[in-house]
Amino acid sequence: MTADQKRDRVQRLVLRGVDVNVTDYDERTPLHLAATEGRVEVARLLISLAAKPASPDRWWSMPADDAERSGYNAVLDVLESAKCEQRKATFNGGSCRLLSVSLKTLR
């Protein structure tokens, strides 16, 4: 299945009412799976459809933790940016660039 087909499949499921934040028995979300598999476009799509990038699974692992552990830095950047944008919205402003630069120096 191509990336476009996967993206289309996710969009069809959401249009049918599937919650993008649904969890499995380990409380892992579709975003956890996209992060673990390095699916950048799927991660972007899920986030655009209101997936929560800061959702912990059963072991308190976030999607960004999975991306980092699996070596998918492009997905990690997307997830960290999304978390930062959500914090900016919550706290009415702020700088994501400073946080992003700080995170990259820690890697």
Side-chain angles (χ1 to χ4, degrees):
M1 184 178 292
T2 68
D4 287 340
Q5 290 171 323
K6 288 179 184 181
R7 190 173 46 251
D8 292 345
R9 189 172 187 187
V10 169
Q11 287 175 324
R12 281 195 309 273
L13 288 170
V14 171
L15 288 173
R16 291 184 184 157
V18 174
D19 181 2
V20 294
N21 293 301
V22 67
T23 61
D24 65 10
Y25 53 90
D26 287 326
E27 297 179 33
R28 292 173 59 76
T29 66
L31 201 49
H32 281 94
L33 300 178
T36 299
E37 295 179 3
R39 309 289 183 190
V40 178
E41 291 305 317
V42 173
R44 281 191 185 117
L45 174 63
L46 290 167
I47 290 166
S48 76
L49 296 170
K52 298 174 185 171
S55 297
D57 65 13
R58 174 177 159 183
W59 301 278
W60 290 96
S61 181
M62 308 285 183
D65 299 325
D66 293 339
E68 184 172 26
R69 199 171 19 257
S70 300
Y72 294 118
N73 291 332
V75 178
L76 180 59
D77 289 344
V78 167
L79 294 168
E80 292 298 341
S81 177
K83 285 194 306 189
C84 189
E85 291 301 322
Q86 286 183 353
R87 281 193 294 273
K88 274 177 52 177
T90 302
F91 295 111
N92 197 22
S95 173
C96 288
R97 179 163 163 51
L98 180 60
L99 177 61
S100 176
V101 169
S102 298
L103 288 171
K104 287 181 181 184
T105 60
L106 293 175
R107 288 189 208 149

